[in-house]
């Protein structure tokens, strides 16, 4: 069987992790911690999420010996975090409250008239490529600000799907949401980013 | 008939290829006629690519250092345990 470079390097990393190689753990921590935090923040406040991720890594030192590779390493780590968060929530008898009833962001919804046509259409077309747009430091800072202001459920769904490139099915399993609810989370988060970029391009304000 | 607001509601599904061929057809027809919706879809796609290009989500260095330190400790304990078991 021919393995891709990515699979090959993941296989190498797993072998080194099983051999308890310090450098391999260091590499894995910097590669996978952002995604693990995105999962944890779906369920918990930022500081508890950090604690859970730290605890999970300590668990991984032993658990990696039993990792059989039925899923990718990233998905396996994200599931460990999700399970631990769910246990913590059950222990605290707290539940994740999310509103899936509205598909459109209120700011966008009010731009349509009663005939369901645009009343206030999109004002500008984003001509530049994403990379060119990101070279604008102020826009990048603005995106940071808006991402951290997103409800954690939307932010985590967006991060796992876009930034960490999970398949929809994986994200649903990790976050324990239905496929239709994931679609709502993603769509609402994207609308907010769209509105933010539009305002920024039009006014220069964040 | 699919209206602009209907399209805005399912825009992410369209971008991600989650619509069936039957659902896709009215969207494509609407887009051929509506410049505003074409702009909206184009901008939403650009926002999505922007998210992918954005490196946000990196934890601070201090957290990574704390995790590395706890892992070193856990690895030491495990090695001692393994050696004792031999």
């Amino acid at each position: 069987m021919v393995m891709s470079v990515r699979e090959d390097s993941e296989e190498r990393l797993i072998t080194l992790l099983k051999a308890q190689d310090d450098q391999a753990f260091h590499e894995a921590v910097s590669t996978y911690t952002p995604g693990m935090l995105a999962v944890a923040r779906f369920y918990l406040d930022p500081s508890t999420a950090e604690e859970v991720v730290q605890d999970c890594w300590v668990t991984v030192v032993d658990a990696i010996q039993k990792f059989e590779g039925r899923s990718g390493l990233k998905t396996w780590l994200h599931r460990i975090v999700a399970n631990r968060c769910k246990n913590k929530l059950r222990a605290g008898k707290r539940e994740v409250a999310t509103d899936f009833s509205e598909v459109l962001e209120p700011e966008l919804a009010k731009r349509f008239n009663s005939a369901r046509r645009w009343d206030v259409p999109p004002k500008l077309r984003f001509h530049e490529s994403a990379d060119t747009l990101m070279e604008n430091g102020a826009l990048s800072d603005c995106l940071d600000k808006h991402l951290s202001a997103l409800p954690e459920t939307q932010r985590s769904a967006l991060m796992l799907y876009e930034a960490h490139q999970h398949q929809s099915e994986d994200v649903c399993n990790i976050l324990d949401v239905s496929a239709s609810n994931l679609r709502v989370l993603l769509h609402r988060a994207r609308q907010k980013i769209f509105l933010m970029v539009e305002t920024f391009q039009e006014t220069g304000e964040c | 008939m699919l209206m602009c607001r209907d399209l805005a509601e399912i825009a992410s599904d369209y971008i991600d290829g989650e619509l069936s061929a039957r659902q896709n057809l009215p969207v494509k027809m609407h887009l051929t006629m509506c410049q505003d919706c074409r702009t909206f879809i184009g901008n939403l796609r650009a926002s999505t690519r922007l998210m992918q290009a954005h490196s946000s989500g990196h934890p601070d260095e201090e957290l990574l250092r704390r995790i590395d330190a706890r892992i070193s400790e856990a690895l030491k304990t495990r090695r001692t345990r393994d050696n004792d078991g031999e």
Side-chain angles (χ1 to χ4, degrees):
Chain A
M1 191 177 85
V2 180
M3 276 196 291
S4 70
V5 173
R6 197 171 160 177
E7 281 171 337
D8 190 27
S9 84
E10 183 168 303
E11 195 121 309
R12 179 193 59 84
L13 180 63
I14 292 164
T15 305
L16 289 170
L17 290 174
K18 287 188 176 183
Q20 301 166 45
D21 181 277
D22 286 90
Q23 185 53 37
F25 270 99
H26 176 72
E27 186 186 327
V29 165
S30 42
T31 306
Y32 296 110
T33 299
M36 293 162 78
L37 271 175
V39 175
R41 289 186 64 175
F42 179 82
Y43 298 98
L44 305 166
D45 65 85
S47 87
T48 318
E50 284 193 3
E51 278 170 34
V52 165
V53 170
Q54 288 187 59
D55 292 345
C56 283
W57 274 115
V58 174
T59 310
V60 166
V61 169
D62 286 328
I64 191 70
Q65 302 300 334
K66 292 177 195 153
F67 177 68
E68 290 170 352
R70 280 196 288 265
S71 61
L73 182 61
K74 178 175 70 179
T75 305
W76 180 71
L77 290 167
H78 289 181
R79 285 198 186 129
I80 291 176
V81 175
N83 287 336
R84 195 167 275 239
C85 290
K86 282 183 241 175
N87 287 340
K88 212 172 176 70
L89 281 180
R90 273 195 286 271
K93 294 194 170 123
R94 281 185 295 148
E95 284 179 14
V96 179
T98 310
D99 177 15
F100 296 107
S101 57
E102 294 298 328
V103 175
L104 283 191
E105 274 301 300
E107 274 303 299
L108 190 64
K110 69 184 181 197
R111 288 168 62 167
F112 295 92
N113 59 28
S114 55
R116 302 178 78 75
R117 291 182 192 278
W118 287 100
D119 217 5
V120 185
K123 297 165 193 106
L124 299 162
R125 181 174 277 278
F126 306 162
H127 283 296
E128 296 108 314
S129 74
D131 287 335
T132 312
L133 281 170
M134 290 312 294
E135 283 167 15
N136 181 334
L139 177 60
S140 180
D141 291 346
C142 188
L143 192 55
D144 260 339
K145 181 178 148 191
H146 281 261
L147 276 171
S148 37
L150 284 179
E152 288 303 342
T153 49
Q154 292 178 20
R155 184 178 181 278
S156 296
L158 195 66
M159 293 305 289
L160 292 179
Y161 189 80
E162 309 282 25
H164 298 284
Q165 302 277 296
H166 273 293
Q167 300 292 312
S168 304
E169 199 185 333
D170 265 350
V171 182
C172 289
N173 284 332
I174 291 164
L175 301 182
D176 212 6
V177 293
S178 69
S180 59
N181 284 352
L182 173 65
R183 303 303 315 164
V184 174
L185 291 175
L186 281 175
H187 191 40
R188 292 203 60 171
R190 284 172 177 174
Q191 289 170 69
K192 285 202 178 107
I193 302 300
F194 157 78
L195 289 165
M196 179 279 286
V197 179
E198 192 182 64
T199 305
F200 185 87
Q201 291 224 314
E202 200 185 16
T203 66
E205 285 173 13
C206 180
Chain B
M1 187 178 156
L2 190 88
M3 303 303 289
C4 304
R5 186 181 163 130
D6 305 322
L7 188 138
E9 286 177 358
I10 57 171
S12 280
D13 292 347
Y14 174 71
I15 288 172
D16 290 339
E18 295 279 339
L19 297 179
S20 66
R22 199 173 153 189
Q23 292 168 314
N24 242 338
L25 190 62
V27 175
K28 284 189 183 296
M29 280 176 63
H30 183 97
L31 286 175
T32 58
M33 296 179 298
C34 182
Q35 169 71 51
D36 289 339
C37 283
R38 281 203 298 277
T39 303
F40 176 67
I41 289 284
N43 287 359
L44 198 67
R45 269 209 181 99
S47 308
T48 302
R49 286 196 295 271
L50 199 60
M51 258 304 302
Q52 288 164 355
H54 188 59
S55 59
S56 179
H58 289 295
D60 61 59
E61 290 298 317
E62 173 54 31
L63 174 66
L64 295 183
R65 268 195 296 276
R66 282 205 304 270
I67 295 173
D68 278 339
R70 287 193 61 187
I71 285 179
S72 295
E73 204 53 44
L75 283 172
K76 239 185 257 170
T77 310
R78 190 180 162 87
R79 283 180 198 125
T80 311
R81 208 170 57 218
D82 288 353
N83 289 338
D84 288 349
E86 274 175 6

